[in-house]
Amino acid sequence: MALFTGNYNYIKDGVALTLNRLVAFLEKRGVPVLVFAPVAERPAFEPVGELVPVPSFAIPTRKEYRIATGLPEAQRKRLEAFGPTLFHIAVPDILGYQALKLAETWNVPAVASYHTRYDTYLRFYGLGMFGKLGQRYMRNFYNRVRRVYPPSESMAEIIRKEGQSRHVEVWARGVDSELFSPGKRDMAWRRALGIADGEVAISFAGRLVKEKNTAIFMRVMNLLTERGLKMKPLVIGDGPEMAAMTAGLKNGVFAGFLHGEDLARAYASSDIFFFPSESETFGNVTLEAMASGLTAVNAIASGSNSLVIEGETGHLVSARDEQGLAAKLEMLVKDEALRRRMGAAARARALTFSWDAILSGLLDSYRTVLREAHGR
């Protein structure tokens, strides 16, 4: 299989980690994989499998991210020598479009995974006027592949409704429930950050970027602080909005970018997870928080809708209803028994998301696509 993506290892985000996990799973089962993606001088982590670099440039407004400019002759020859029987395209960018055209020319079946709500990204960066043009492009792109794999059923419904594809199958995400566990709670770690034992820690995790609705997180947290609640906002992550958040968030605690055991400890040492992002197609951080035993208060969004069960494992509220978000959080801050009950339910739900079962299902889908393509 040939995999084409916009980020495989130069930034440690949910998409890159998911794709590396997929490649490791496939190679362990004897499926050869060749990955084509932009690279950076200082990658965030070592890639799984063979990574073929492609030319790219930094996005002017988000220099940490890169845009691939295509598949030059040298990379195309490497791909041809590899002889892929399936193309998996993770991003509908220039590289993804050229890969799709090449798959059509070579008569190789192509599938695509759906990781990002690009329509919401355009809005956050003042490019909303390109929304309709983007939707037309997405419909053209995804209707030409044999399967589209969104990470949640709620995202699948949007794809079908917008006419982007009729051949949609959910490829969910899993969670390492041994790593992310309530047992990692560490009161000494909390105290060292300045969180008192009697204070309720409300955490946010992820890259600190506008499209995660960091501004809404700050405003809602400041509302609760002004009401005199015994709570403290805990921000886990880093990114371009760090300066704005440190300046604008009252009484906030910043743990910085964490991963592995340190990240698991931070989740478990929190009391509530608050994630107002609307740009998620799944929400890996929400699932990790749930596995850590946290009830989640999330904005209504395509990813969160498939994870959080309203009133049972957490709450779903419109991101535009800041008073409503604050009300749900205030209720949880004041009711420890409710937090514990909903946190236990969240942990139980997270345990149903097994990586092995999820990736095995995707591999089965690949095999079905190959049978269909070859009339078997």
Side-chain angles (χ1 to χ4, degrees):
M1 185 186 80
L3 173 64
F4 305 86
T5 182
N7 171 33
Y8 191 65
N9 76 322
Y10 66 79
I11 285 181
K12 197 169 190 176
D13 63 11
V15 176
L17 293 173
T18 295
L19 294 175
N20 275 264
R21 186 182 287 270
L22 168 63
V23 172
F25 175 87
L26 293 174
E27 290 189 336
K28 191 176 290 186
R29 281 151 184 79
V31 179
V33 183
L34 194 60
V35 182
F36 294 82
V39 297
E41 288 184 14
R42 297 178 181 174
F45 58 96
E46 283 297 313
V48 175
E50 182 178 351
L51 172 58
V52 179
V54 299
S56 63
F57 64 90
I59 300 176
T61 57
R62 290 285 301 279
K63 293 186 182 298
E64 74 273 25
Y65 279 102
R66 307 190 66 82
I67 293 180
T69 57
L71 196 67
E73 185 179 356
Q75 284 85 345
R76 195 168 300 197
K77 286 182 177 178
R78 176 70 187 92
L79 177 62
E80 189 172 9
F82 177 66
T85 57
L86 181 72
F87 280 33
H88 181 145
I89 303 168
V91 182
D93 57 3
I94 299 170
L95 173 64
Y97 185 72
Q98 289 191 5
L100 177 59
K101 289 181 66 178
L102 198 59
E104 292 171 341
T105 301
W106 289 357
N107 199 29
V108 174
V111 299
S113 45
Y114 202 109
H115 299 276
T116 304
R117 290 294 307 272
Y118 292 103
D119 53 341
T120 64
Y121 277 43
L122 290 172
R123 189 172 71 246
F124 276 103
Y125 292 95
L127 300 172
M129 72 286 292
F130 295 110
K132 290 186 177 179
L133 180 64
Q135 285 184 356
R136 285 200 298 271
Y137 172 77
M138 303 280 265
R139 281 195 295 271
N140 175 270
F141 186 94
Y142 288 115
N143 273 302
R144 290 162 64 179
V145 300
R146 289 181 175 266
R147 292 289 190 282
V148 177
Y149 300 116
S152 62
E153 183 54 44
S154 51
M155 190 66 239
E157 291 174 7
I158 291 171
I159 293 170
R160 295 187 192 104
K161 183 178 179 181
E162 294 182 353
Q164 294 185 31
S165 176
R166 291 179 294 106
H167 305 290
V168 184
E169 292 181 15
V170 173
W171 170 30
R173 302 293 181 263
V175 66
D176 185 340
S177 56
E178 292 186 7
L179 174 62
F180 298 104
S181 163
K184 302 294 174 67
R185 189 172 178 85
D186 186 339
M187 296 303 290
W189 181 83
R190 285 169 48 109
R191 294 174 194 130
L193 284 175
I195 303 171
D197 289 2
E199 288 181 314
V200 174
I202 303 177
S203 60
F204 171 102
R207 282 188 54 73
L208 307 184
V209 290
K210 289 180 180 179
E211 60 267 25
K212 303 293 185 185
N213 273 342
T214 51
I216 291 176
F217 176 84
M218 285 192 291
R219 289 196 294 268
V220 172
M221 289 294 93
N222 288 345
L223 269 176
L224 298 185
T225 298
E226 290 162 6
R227 292 174 186 176
L229 295 179
K230 294 182 66 176
M231 51 72 63
K232 190 155 278 187
L234 171 59
V235 178
I236 307 164
D238 202 350
E241 293 301 299
M242 173 62 90
M245 293 190 76
T246 52
L249 183 61
K250 300 175 182 178
N251 202 34
V253 173
F254 293 83
F257 173 76
L258 302 175
H259 61 91
E261 291 288 345
D262 292 334
L263 177 58
R265 177 178 61 184
Y267 279 126
S269 301
S270 307
D271 300 292
I272 302 168
F273 186 67
F274 175 37
F275 198 58
S277 172
E278 298 171 284
S279 64
E280 310 304 298
T281 56
F282 182 75
N284 293 298
V285 292
T286 296
L287 186 57
E288 290 166 356
M290 290 169 63
S292 303
L294 300 185
T295 180
V297 175
N298 286 33
I300 295 170
S302 53
S304 301
N305 295 355
S306 295
L307 291 174
V308 178
I309 301 175
E310 170 59 36
E312 182 178 328
T313 68
H315 294 290
L316 294 165
V317 182
S318 168
R320 304 293 171 267
D321 184 5
E322 295 179 14
Q323 291 292 338
L325 288 165
K328 295 296 186 185
L329 288 163
E330 181 172 358
M331 178 176 61
L332 288 166
V333 167
K334 293 178 175 178
D335 193 335
E336 182 179 357
L338 178 62
R339 287 201 309 273
R340 290 184 181 276
R341 185 168 66 252
M342 296 181 79
R347 167 74 177 173
R349 175 153 173 76
L351 292 177
T352 66
F353 290 81
S354 158
W355 268 121
D356 192 66
I358 288 165
L359 293 174
S360 293
L362 181 63
L363 180 55
D364 287 343
S365 181
Y366 285 165
R367 289 169 174 153
T368 301
V369 166
L370 291 173
R371 286 195 297 271
E372 292 173 355
H374 299 296
R376 295 199 298 266

